[in-house]
Amino acid sequence: MIRLAVADDQSILRSGLVALLRLETDLEVVGEAADAAAALDVVADTDPDVLLLDVQMPPGTGADGRPGPQDGIEVARRLRADGAARPRIIVLTTFGRAGYLRRTMETGAEGFMVKDAPVERLVDAIRRVQQGLRVVDPDLAAQSLSVGPSPLTAKETEVLRAAADGAGTSQIAATLFLSEGTVRNHISSAIGKLGVAGRAEAVRRATDNGWL
Amino acid sequence: MIRLAVADDQSILRSGLVALLRLETDLEVVGEAADAAAALDVVADTDPDVLLLDVQMPPGTGADGRPGPQDGIEVARRLRADGAARPRIIVLTTFGRAGYLRRTMETGAEGFMVKDAPVERLVDAIRRVQQGLRVVDPDLAAQSLSVGPSPLTAKETEVLRAAADGAGTSQIAATLFLSEGTVRNHISSAIGKLGVAGRAEAVRRATDNGWL
DNA sequence: TGCGGACCATGACAGCTGTCATGGGCGGGG
DNA sequence: CCCCGCCCATGACAGCTGTCATGGTCCGCA
C-alpha cells in the first residue's frame, strides 16, 4: 500500500485527484494540503511515501505564523534540505516549462508531470517513484531536450539574471561593476539571440527555458 | 437526471472532476472535451443539460479544420449567439478575475465558479443552474463588487483599450485622431489612478478588473 | 453672472532603452 | 607566426515613455 499526500490549491482538482487515486487498490491518500505551508505540515504529520506537489501554490502561513515557501518547488527543496529520502516527490504543473523541470530536478525530486497528462500516466509515475525510479513526463522531457543548451554567454546570463530580480540598468551596472552601456549591450545581445522584443520578454523567455 | 458535459484542457482535472460528478446520483456525464473546438462538437453531439467550461483552453481545430474559439468564454458566446437556452453554461476558472466574471456574464452564461471552490459548491451550482437560476461564486462576487466601478475616464478607457490590442503610441494616436502627446497623457493619468508603473501593468490591471 | 472643478488636448522636457560603431583581449587554425 | 572569430567593454546616438505645465471647453452651483 502506497501512502500518498496531495498538495494543490485548486480544491476541485485536489478532490478529483483524490477520488481517482482512491480507485486504485494499492494507493491510499493520507493527507491533503491547499498551500505550501500546509504541505510541509502534512508531510510532518502523516509521513507519506509519495507527495504530489503542485508548482503554483499560495505560500500560506505555517504553524509558527510565518509565511511558507513561495511555490511547490521550494517546498521540495526544503523537504530535501536535510538529505532525507522521504517522501518521494512528484511535482505537478499546469505549464510545461523547461525551467520548472530543471529547477525541480535540481531539488532532488523524483518526478515531474504536467497536468494535462492522462491520469494513468500519473498513477504509473507514482508506482515507479515508489520503487525508487525517477519519472519525467515524456512530452516535456522531449521539449526540454529540444530546447537545448543556453545560447547566452556568461555575462549575458549574469546580467539577465540580475534583471530578473527586478534590478534596473544602473543597479545591475553597480552590482556587476560594469558600465551602464555595457549592461544594456549584453541585454541587447541576449534580446537578439532570443528573438524577442524588450528586456522583459528576454527575461521571461530565458527563465521559461531554464537558462537563468 | 442532469446530463453534463465537461470541457477542460487539464486531463487530470477533467478526469477527477468526472469521477467526482459520477458519485452524485442525479448527475450523468455524457461528454468531455479538451479544447474549445471539441467543446462545441461535444455540445452538438450530445446536447447536454449543463456544460462545465474552463476559461483557459487551447483553441483546437474544429471538424472543418479551422481553429476554434480562443477561450471558454468565447465558446459560451458562440453557443448563445443563436439565442438558444441550451445548454446551461457554468464557466470555471483558476483565476478569480473580475474581468472574467464580467465577460462571462455578458455572454449569457448561467454560472461562474473558481476552481478552488469546494466541490459541493460546484455540484450545488449545477443543480441550481439546471433549475434556471444564475449562480456566481460568492467570494468572487464579493471581490467583484469591492473592485467597484472603473475610475478611468472615457478617453482613458478608450486609449487603454487600444493599447491592450498591442497598438503603439503612434498607432493609437492615428486611430483615435489624437496627438501622440495626448495619448501618452491619458495613459499617464490612467497609470496614476491605477497605482502601477508603466503602461503594460496599467493594461493588465484594467483588464483584470474588467474595466476595459 | 461669476467661479470652481471635471475632462480633454497639446507641446516641452527628462529619463530610460536598445542599437551601433569601435576597440581590447584571448584562443584555435592556417 | 599571424589572422580570424568570439567574448567583453565602452560611449554615442535615436527612439520611446511618462510627467509636467499650460490652456481650452463644459457643467454645476452660489
mmCIF file of all heavy atoms in Angstrom, chain B residues 153-155 178-179 181-182 185-186, chain C residues 6-14:
data_model
loop_
_atom_site.group_PDB
_atom_site.id
_atom_site.type_symbol
_atom_site.label_atom_id
_atom_site.label_comp_id
_atom_site.label_asym_id
_atom_site.label_seq_id
_atom_site.Cartn_x
_atom_site.Cartn_y
_atom_site.Cartn_z
ATOM 1 N N THR B 153 -11.571 57.598 -16.943
ATOM 2 C CA THR B 153 -12.464 58.415 -17.754
ATOM 3 C C THR B 153 -12.641 57.767 -19.132
ATOM 4 O O THR B 153 -11.961 56.815 -19.486
ATOM 5 C CB THR B 153 -11.902 59.845 -17.906
ATOM 6 O OG1 THR B 153 -11.828 60.159 -19.297
ATOM 7 C CG2 THR B 153 -10.569 59.939 -17.314
ATOM 8 N N ALA B 154 -13.576 58.292 -19.887
ATOM 9 C CA ALA B 154 -13.931 57.707 -21.177
ATOM 10 C C ALA B 154 -12.718 57.591 -22.092
ATOM 11 O O ALA B 154 -12.415 56.523 -22.623
ATOM 12 C CB ALA B 154 -15.028 58.535 -21.847
ATOM 13 N N LYS B 155 -12.007 58.694 -22.254
ATOM 14 C CA LYS B 155 -10.856 58.683 -23.154
ATOM 15 C C LYS B 155 -9.757 57.770 -22.634
ATOM 16 O O LYS B 155 -9.086 57.084 -23.401
ATOM 17 C CB LYS B 155 -10.314 60.108 -23.316
ATOM 18 C CG LYS B 155 -10.927 60.869 -24.493
ATOM 19 C CD LYS B 155 -10.341 60.397 -25.819
ATOM 20 C CE LYS B 155 -10.970 61.126 -26.997
ATOM 21 N NZ LYS B 155 -12.397 60.825 -27.145
ATOM 22 N N LEU B 178 -5.813 61.659 -32.244
ATOM 23 C CA LEU B 178 -5.267 62.453 -31.157
ATOM 24 C C LEU B 178 -3.800 62.732 -31.439
ATOM 25 O O LEU B 178 -3.175 62.074 -32.264
ATOM 26 C CB LEU B 178 -5.374 61.710 -29.824
ATOM 27 C CG LEU B 178 -6.777 61.438 -29.282
ATOM 28 C CD1 LEU B 178 -6.700 60.604 -28.031
ATOM 29 C CD2 LEU B 178 -7.485 62.750 -29.023
ATOM 30 N N SER B 179 -3.256 63.692 -30.724
ATOM 31 C CA SER B 179 -1.816 63.890 -30.757
ATOM 32 C C SER B 179 -1.156 62.777 -29.945
ATOM 33 O O SER B 179 -1.749 62.220 -29.015
ATOM 34 C CB SER B 179 -1.466 65.246 -30.157
ATOM 35 O OG SER B 179 -0.139 65.239 -29.706
ATOM 36 N N GLY B 181 1.212 63.111 -27.924
ATOM 37 C CA GLY B 181 1.347 63.623 -26.566
ATOM 38 C C GLY B 181 0.087 63.370 -25.753
ATOM 39 O O GLY B 181 0.139 62.956 -24.591
ATOM 40 N N THR B 182 -1.048 63.611 -26.354
ATOM 41 C CA THR B 182 -2.315 63.402 -25.658
ATOM 42 C C THR B 182 -2.498 61.940 -25.278
ATOM 43 O O THR B 182 -2.925 61.626 -24.164
ATOM 44 C CB THR B 182 -3.483 63.842 -26.561
ATOM 45 O OG1 THR B 182 -3.239 65.185 -26.962
ATOM 46 C CG2 THR B 182 -4.788 63.752 -25.820
ATOM 47 N N ASN B 185 -0.495 61.148 -22.466
ATOM 48 C CA ASN B 185 -1.033 61.808 -21.291
ATOM 49 C C ASN B 185 -2.180 61.008 -20.669
ATOM 50 O O ASN B 185 -2.237 60.822 -19.455
ATOM 51 C CB ASN B 185 -1.531 63.195 -21.675
ATOM 52 C CG ASN B 185 -1.324 64.159 -20.537
ATOM 53 O OD1 ASN B 185 -1.168 63.728 -19.404
ATOM 54 N ND2 ASN B 185 -1.314 65.440 -20.846
ATOM 55 N N HIS B 186 -3.084 60.532 -21.479
ATOM 56 C CA HIS B 186 -4.182 59.715 -20.951
ATOM 57 C C HIS B 186 -3.629 58.472 -20.282
ATOM 58 O O HIS B 186 -4.076 58.075 -19.203
ATOM 59 C CB HIS B 186 -5.140 59.332 -22.077
ATOM 60 C CG HIS B 186 -6.019 60.462 -22.503
ATOM 61 N ND1 HIS B 186 -6.887 61.090 -21.651
ATOM 62 C CD2 HIS B 186 -6.170 61.082 -23.696
ATOM 63 C CE1 HIS B 186 -7.531 62.040 -22.292
ATOM 64 N NE2 HIS B 186 -7.104 62.063 -23.553
ATOM 65 P P DA C 6 -12.729 67.894 -9.039
ATOM 66 O OP1 DA C 6 -12.895 67.145 -7.795
ATOM 67 O OP2 DA C 6 -11.379 68.293 -9.471
ATOM 68 O "O5'" DA C 6 -13.445 67.013 -10.160
ATOM 69 C "C5'" DA C 6 -12.660 66.360 -11.108
ATOM 70 C "C4'" DA C 6 -13.481 66.245 -12.398
ATOM 71 O "O4'" DA C 6 -14.111 67.496 -12.689
ATOM 72 C "C3'" DA C 6 -12.612 65.938 -13.601
ATOM 73 O "O3'" DA C 6 -12.322 64.530 -13.701
ATOM 74 C "C2'" DA C 6 -13.496 66.472 -14.729
ATOM 75 C "C1'" DA C 6 -14.085 67.730 -14.102
ATOM 76 N N9 DA C 6 -13.287 68.935 -14.355
ATOM 77 C C8 DA C 6 -12.339 69.487 -13.545
ATOM 78 N N7 DA C 6 -11.784 70.581 -14.018
ATOM 79 C C5 DA C 6 -12.414 70.760 -15.248
ATOM 80 C C6 DA C 6 -12.291 71.754 -16.243
ATOM 81 N N6 DA C 6 -11.449 72.785 -16.148
ATOM 82 N N1 DA C 6 -13.056 71.633 -17.335
ATOM 83 C C2 DA C 6 -13.891 70.599 -17.435
ATOM 84 N N3 DA C 6 -14.106 69.612 -16.551
ATOM 85 C C4 DA C 6 -13.332 69.749 -15.456
ATOM 86 P P DC C 7 -13.197 63.448 -14.242
ATOM 87 O OP1 DC C 7 -14.627 63.682 -13.924
ATOM 88 O OP2 DC C 7 -12.562 62.155 -13.906
ATOM 89 O "O5'" DC C 7 -12.949 63.750 -15.773
ATOM 90 C "C5'" DC C 7 -14.067 63.808 -16.641
ATOM 91 C "C4'" DC C 7 -13.667 64.550 -17.903
ATOM 92 O "O4'" DC C 7 -13.212 65.872 -17.579
ATOM 93 C "C3'" DC C 7 -12.513 63.887 -18.657
ATOM 94 O "O3'" DC C 7 -13.024 63.351 -19.873
ATOM 95 C "C2'" DC C 7 -11.502 65.001 -18.891
ATOM 96 C "C1'" DC C 7 -12.303 66.254 -18.584
ATOM 97 N N1 DC C 7 -11.467 67.374 -18.063
ATOM 98 C C2 DC C 7 -11.322 68.548 -18.832
ATOM 99 O O2 DC C 7 -11.884 68.608 -19.938
ATOM 100 N N3 DC C 7 -10.559 69.571 -18.368
ATOM 101 C C4 DC C 7 -9.966 69.455 -17.186
ATOM 102 N N4 DC C 7 -9.245 70.500 -16.757
ATOM 103 C C5 DC C 7 -10.107 68.293 -16.391
ATOM 104 C C6 DC C 7 -10.856 67.292 -16.853
ATOM 105 P P DC C 8 -12.111 62.497 -20.779
ATOM 106 O OP1 DC C 8 -13.005 61.649 -21.576
ATOM 107 O OP2 DC C 8 -11.049 61.922 -19.935
ATOM 108 O "O5'" DC C 8 -11.451 63.587 -21.739
ATOM 109 C "C5'" DC C 8 -12.282 64.397 -22.543
ATOM 110 C "C4'" DC C 8 -11.450 65.493 -23.171
ATOM 111 O "O4'" DC C 8 -10.899 66.322 -22.124
ATOM 112 C "C3'" DC C 8 -10.258 65.019 -23.993
ATOM 113 O "O3'" DC C 8 -10.474 65.310 -25.356
ATOM 114 C "C2'" DC C 8 -9.061 65.781 -23.437
ATOM 115 C "C1'" DC C 8 -9.713 66.885 -22.613
ATOM 116 N N1 DC C 8 -8.912 67.349 -21.463
ATOM 117 C C2 DC C 8 -8.333 68.619 -21.512
ATOM 118 O O2 DC C 8 -8.496 69.313 -22.518
ATOM 119 N N3 DC C 8 -7.598 69.048 -20.454
ATOM 120 C C4 DC C 8 -7.455 68.248 -19.385
ATOM 121 N N4 DC C 8 -6.736 68.727 -18.359
ATOM 122 C C5 DC C 8 -8.040 66.959 -19.310
ATOM 123 C C6 DC C 8 -8.751 66.551 -20.366
ATOM 124 P P DA C 9 -9.559 64.599 -26.426
ATOM 125 O OP1 DA C 9 -10.305 64.528 -27.708
ATOM 126 O OP2 DA C 9 -9.009 63.384 -25.814
ATOM 127 O "O5'" DA C 9 -8.381 65.650 -26.613
ATOM 128 C "C5'" DA C 9 -8.646 66.873 -27.260
ATOM 129 C "C4'" DA C 9 -7.451 67.789 -27.122
ATOM 130 O "O4'" DA C 9 -7.203 68.017 -25.731
ATOM 131 C "C3'" DA C 9 -6.151 67.218 -27.680
ATOM 132 O "O3'" DA C 9 -5.902 67.792 -28.952
ATOM 133 C "C2'" DA C 9 -5.082 67.634 -26.641
ATOM 134 C "C1'" DA C 9 -5.859 68.415 -25.603
ATOM 135 N N9 DA C 9 -5.466 68.166 -24.217
ATOM 136 C C8 DA C 9 -5.778 67.075 -23.458
ATOM 137 N N7 DA C 9 -5.304 67.132 -22.229
ATOM 138 C C5 DA C 9 -4.630 68.343 -22.186
ATOM 139 C C6 DA C 9 -3.915 68.996 -21.172
ATOM 140 N N6 DA C 9 -3.745 68.478 -19.950
ATOM 141 N N1 DA C 9 -3.368 70.195 -21.473
ATOM 142 C C2 DA C 9 -3.545 70.718 -22.702
ATOM 143 N N3 DA C 9 -4.197 70.193 -23.734
ATOM 144 C C4 DA C 9 -4.727 68.997 -23.404
ATOM 145 P P DT C 10 -4.766 67.241 -29.870
ATOM 146 O OP1 DT C 10 -5.078 67.678 -31.242
ATOM 147 O OP2 DT C 10 -4.569 65.831 -29.577
ATOM 148 O "O5'" DT C 10 -3.496 68.047 -29.360
ATOM 149 C "C5'" DT C 10 -3.613 69.449 -29.141
ATOM 150 C "C4'" DT C 10 -2.355 70.005 -28.519
ATOM 151 O "O4'" DT C 10 -2.397 69.827 -27.086
ATOM 152 C "C3'" DT C 10 -1.068 69.318 -28.966
ATOM 153 O "O3'" DT C 10 -0.373 70.177 -29.851
ATOM 154 C "C2'" DT C 10 -0.274 69.072 -27.682
ATOM 155 C "C1'" DT C 10 -1.070 69.819 -26.633
ATOM 156 N N1 DT C 10 -1.060 69.140 -25.314
ATOM 157 C C2 DT C 10 -0.465 69.758 -24.241
ATOM 158 O O2 DT C 10 0.043 70.861 -24.307
ATOM 159 N N3 DT C 10 -0.503 69.036 -23.072
ATOM 160 C C4 DT C 10 -1.047 67.777 -22.897
ATOM 161 O O4 DT C 10 -1.018 67.217 -21.812
ATOM 162 C C5 DT C 10 -1.639 67.184 -24.067
ATOM 163 C C7 DT C 10 -2.257 65.834 -23.988
ATOM 164 C C6 DT C 10 -1.622 67.883 -25.208
ATOM 165 P P DG C 11 0.894 69.661 -30.616
ATOM 166 O OP1 DG C 11 0.937 70.338 -31.926
ATOM 167 O OP2 DG C 11 0.929 68.182 -30.561
ATOM 168 O "O5'" DG C 11 2.078 70.210 -29.704
ATOM 169 C "C5'" DG C 11 2.200 71.608 -29.501
ATOM 170 C "C4'" DG C 11 3.254 71.901 -28.446
ATOM 171 O "O4'" DG C 11 2.862 71.278 -27.199
ATOM 172 C "C3'" DG C 11 4.658 71.366 -28.767
ATOM 173 O "O3'" DG C 11 5.634 72.363 -28.443
ATOM 174 C "C2'" DG C 11 4.796 70.139 -27.873
ATOM 175 C "C1'" DG C 11 3.931 70.509 -26.677
ATOM 176 N N9 DG C 11 3.352 69.363 -25.989
ATOM 177 C C8 DG C 11 2.702 68.304 -26.572
ATOM 178 N N7 DG C 11 2.293 67.416 -25.699
ATOM 179 C C5 DG C 11 2.706 67.924 -24.472
ATOM 180 C C6 DG C 11 2.548 67.393 -23.167
ATOM 181 O O6 DG C 11 1.992 66.349 -22.825
ATOM 182 N N1 DG C 11 3.114 68.232 -22.206
ATOM 183 C C2 DG C 11 3.750 69.411 -22.473
ATOM 184 N N2 DG C 11 4.233 70.075 -21.427
ATOM 185 N N3 DG C 11 3.908 69.920 -23.681
ATOM 186 C C4 DG C 11 3.359 69.118 -24.632
ATOM 187 P P DA C 12 7.145 72.055 -28.643
ATOM 188 O OP1 DA C 12 7.744 73.260 -29.248
ATOM 189 O OP2 DA C 12 7.306 70.728 -29.289
ATOM 190 O "O5'" DA C 12 7.658 71.934 -27.130
ATOM 191 C "C5'" DA C 12 7.359 72.983 -26.193
ATOM 192 C "C4'" DA C 12 8.045 72.711 -24.854
ATOM 193 O "O4'" DA C 12 7.337 71.633 -24.187
ATOM 194 C "C3'" DA C 12 9.502 72.249 -24.964
ATOM 195 O "O3'" DA C 12 10.257 72.806 -23.893
ATOM 196 C "C2'" DA C 12 9.402 70.736 -24.876
ATOM 197 C "C1'" DA C 12 8.221 70.557 -23.921
ATOM 198 N N9 DA C 12 7.472 69.319 -24.127
ATOM 199 C C8 DA C 12 7.017 68.825 -25.316
ATOM 200 N N7 DA C 12 6.366 67.691 -25.203
ATOM 201 C C5 DA C 12 6.396 67.422 -23.838
ATOM 202 C C6 DA C 12 5.885 66.362 -23.070
ATOM 203 N N6 DA C 12 5.207 65.344 -23.587
ATOM 204 N N1 DA C 12 6.097 66.402 -21.737
ATOM 205 C C2 DA C 12 6.770 67.431 -21.222
ATOM 206 N N3 DA C 12 7.305 68.487 -21.846
ATOM 207 C C4 DA C 12 7.072 68.425 -23.165
ATOM 208 P P DC C 13 11.814 72.648 -23.839
ATOM 209 O OP1 DC C 13 12.342 73.872 -23.201
ATOM 210 O OP2 DC C 13 12.293 72.223 -25.165
ATOM 211 O "O5'" DC C 13 12.035 71.433 -22.836
ATOM 212 C "C5'" DC C 13 11.590 71.554 -21.480
ATOM 213 C "C4'" DC C 13 11.707 70.217 -20.780
ATOM 214 O "O4'" DC C 13 10.713 69.313 -21.297
ATOM 215 C "C3'" DC C 13 13.049 69.505 -20.974
ATOM 216 O "O3'" DC C 13 13.820 69.628 -19.789
ATOM 217 C "C2'" DC C 13 12.681 68.040 -21.268
ATOM 218 C "C1'" DC C 13 11.180 68.005 -21.075
ATOM 219 N N1 DC C 13 10.474 67.109 -22.041
ATOM 220 C C2 DC C 13 9.840 65.952 -21.573
ATOM 221 O O2 DC C 13 9.885 65.703 -20.361
ATOM 222 N N3 DC C 13 9.202 65.141 -22.452
ATOM 223 C C4 DC C 13 9.188 65.459 -23.742
ATOM 224 N N4 DC C 13 8.536 64.635 -24.572
ATOM 225 C C5 DC C 13 9.825 66.625 -24.241
ATOM 226 C C6 DC C 13 10.456 67.415 -23.365
ATOM 227 P P DA C 14 15.289 69.069 -19.705
ATOM 228 O OP1 DA C 14 16.052 69.993 -18.835
ATOM 229 O OP2 DA C 14 15.764 68.794 -21.078
ATOM 230 O "O5'" DA C 14 15.139 67.680 -18.957
ATOM 231 C "C5'" DA C 14 14.415 67.617 -17.713
ATOM 232 C "C4'" DA C 14 14.225 66.173 -17.295
ATOM 233 O "O4'" DA C 14 13.349 65.508 -18.247
ATOM 234 C "C3'" DA C 14 15.505 65.336 -17.255
ATOM 235 O "O3'" DA C 14 15.453 64.466 -16.145
ATOM 236 C "C2'" DA C 14 15.482 64.579 -18.573
ATOM 237 C "C1'" DA C 14 13.991 64.356 -18.775
ATOM 238 N N9 DA C 14 13.580 64.240 -20.179
ATOM 239 C C8 DA C 14 13.988 65.005 -21.230
ATOM 240 N N7 DA C 14 13.446 64.668 -22.371
ATOM 241 C C5 DA C 14 12.622 63.604 -22.043
ATOM 242 C C6 DA C 14 11.774 62.800 -22.804
ATOM 243 N N6 DA C 14 11.599 62.956 -24.129
ATOM 244 N N1 DA C 14 11.094 61.820 -22.177
ATOM 245 C C2 DA C 14 11.264 61.669 -20.848
ATOM 246 N N3 DA C 14 12.041 62.378 -20.024
ATOM 247 C C4 DA C 14 12.698 63.330 -20.689
#
